[in-house]
Amino acid sequence: MRSAYILSALVAIAAAAPAPAPQSIDLAGVDAAPDPQMVSAPLDIQSDQPLKKRDATLNERDGNCAVQPAGAGPVPSPDTVEAFRSSPDLQQLAINAPTPDGYSQAFSNADGSLSASKYMGLHTLRSFDTLGCASLCDQADGCEAFNMYIERDPSVDPNANDCPNPPSTINYKCTLWGAPVVAEEATNRGQWRDSFQVVITGSNGYNKASPPDPIDGFNGPTELGGAINAPLDNGKNTYLGYKYYPFSQSQGYTPSTCAAACKAQTAYNSRHPNADGSFATCSFFNAYVLSQNAIPQGLYCSLYNKAWAQSYATNHGQYRGSDRFTVSRSYSYTLA
């Protein structure tokens, strides 16, 4: 009986309380807003760093037969558009490419590059390197996605009279984007350069994961794009060492583990002070995932007694023999 009374009282209170403001999506307002602006990365160039959003689509233009930079990819035989598009070797590069830690795959092996919002630049790589492209995205402020693809380009700048359809060169392209991407945006399928056809295959798209949660007692997280490599500060070393936690059933990507290690380091230093009684306080840490050959290995926590800016996050990975170690999901936190 008592529970029934409490329930009826709660119903009465709820009926008397003011209703919350409507929080459904205002679809009419969305419809009234301008459509998103879609742009394509420029074709048949080596690099591009736009200062602002622009339409980068190139129209047919006549060249001067100048030799173009040689691409790093294999030219199919015969050297035709059809052979390029159907090349199993090129398609397998896209199909077998690892998804970098900190990203999810939006599409794979499409025959077009992105025409999407918030284009942030283009890089030509020496291999179909999704890890390298992800690192470039991590280093670019505001980058939320990237597109790795293979492009058939002319080996010389086509001219209608002297070199209308030259042999091809194969480039590995990496474009960066400031908004999430979807498969439906992979619609840029190339262009004509006189009688030469620029086309695309093996196009993969990836979206960046959300940043980690804030941590009580610390300011952050701040995305770094690499691991901190701090110099001496007026001749003094601010690096307090690191803690490494291999991934397991009980250990994942949890920067709060690094926060606990930072606090524990301060406590240890306070119990083992210098001769004058001073000790170093851990006031800043860098948490990131260390991967070996694209396989995440563990959580790496670098500890410091001074906060360092993003510009010092210059360690993007390294090699040990043929093993490649990469840095991902690198964020810093500063003691509040």
Side-chain angles (χ1 to χ4, degrees):
M1 292 296 292
R2 184 172 183 272
S3 61
Y5 173 79
I6 293 174
L7 177 60
S8 63
L10 290 175
V11 170
I13 292 173
Q23 297 169 45
S24 57
I25 299 173
D26 182 4
L27 296 179
V30 172
D31 290 339
D35 290 335
Q37 298 182 28
M38 301 299 183
V39 299
S40 300
L43 300 165
D44 189 20
I45 67 169
Q46 293 294 303
S47 64
D48 185 38
Q49 298 295 325
L51 296 179
K52 60 182 179 180
K53 185 185 297 181
R54 59 179 174 81
D55 186 352
T57 303
L58 299 180
N59 297 320
E60 182 178 343
R61 54 186 171 85
D62 213 18
N64 59 5
C65 295
V67 175
Q68 302 300 292
V75 177
S77 180
D79 186 4
T80 63
V81 168
E82 292 73 20
F84 173 82
R85 283 177 167 163
S86 62
S87 169
D89 292 337
L90 296 178
Q91 292 182 9
Q92 285 301 312
L93 290 175
I95 293 170
N96 296 331
T99 297
D101 175 72
Y103 289 81
S104 60
Q105 189 174 75
F107 56 89
S108 174
N109 199 31
D111 61 359
S113 61
L114 283 169
S115 291
S117 296
K118 195 67 174 178
Y119 169 62
M120 295 182 62
L122 177 149
H123 303 266
T124 298
L125 307 183
R126 299 304 298 172
S127 64
F128 197 93
D129 186 6
T130 52
L131 302 181
C133 196
S135 179
L136 291 169
C137 184
D138 288 342
Q139 296 171 54
D141 288 341
C143 184
E144 293 294 330
F146 70 88
N147 184 197
M148 186 81 219
Y149 56 95
I150 309 167
E151 185 173 290
R152 179 182 189 263
D153 292 323
S155 57
V156 301
D157 197 8
N159 178 275
N161 296 320
D162 300 324
C163 53
N165 189 20
S168 73
T169 189
I170 308 303
N171 282 302
Y172 299 113
K173 300 292 184 74
C174 162
T175 57
L176 311 182
W177 301 85
V181 300
V182 295
E184 289 76 10
E185 295 174 311
T187 58
N188 182 9
R189 293 181 171 83
Q191 66 177 9
W192 286 94
R193 296 283 313 281
D194 288 316
S195 297
F196 184 93
Q197 191 175 1
V198 176
V199 287
I200 290 159
T201 194
S203 179
N204 290 5
Y206 302 87
N207 289 314
K208 183 179 289 186
S210 300
D213 293 332
I215 298 174
D216 288 344
F218 290 84
N219 296 321
T222 300
E223 186 175 9
L224 297 178
I228 290 291
N229 188 16
L232 295 178
D233 181 39
N234 294 321
K236 296 181 180 180
N237 196 342
T238 65
Y239 180 54
L240 301 179
Y242 74 93
K243 303 294 182 182
Y244 177 67
Y245 302 92
F247 289 145
S248 65
Q249 286 297 101
S250 59
Q251 178 63 61
Y253 176 65
T254 52
S256 58
T257 301
C258 296
C262 184
K263 293 178 180 178
Q265 186 66 52
T266 297
Y268 176 86
N269 292 348
S270 69
R271 295 193 301 270
H272 303 83
N274 298 319
D276 62 359
S278 64
F279 61 91
T281 299
C282 180
S283 57
F284 176 86
F285 69 85
N286 176 195
Y288 62 87
V289 173
L290 181 68
S291 295
Q292 180 179 0
N293 300 324
I295 305 300
Q297 300 295 303
L299 174 67
Y300 198 100
C301 311
S302 296
L303 312 179
Y304 299 85
N305 66 3
K306 171 185 169 67
W308 292 98
Q310 183 186 30
S311 58
Y312 293 97
T314 57
N315 183 357
H316 307 296
Q318 60 198 55
Y319 281 87
R320 185 177 62 194
S322 61
D323 289 326
R324 183 182 186 181
F325 294 85
T326 51
V327 173
S328 59
R329 285 193 271 184
S330 180
Y331 290 85
S332 67
Y333 293 79
T334 305
L335 190 66

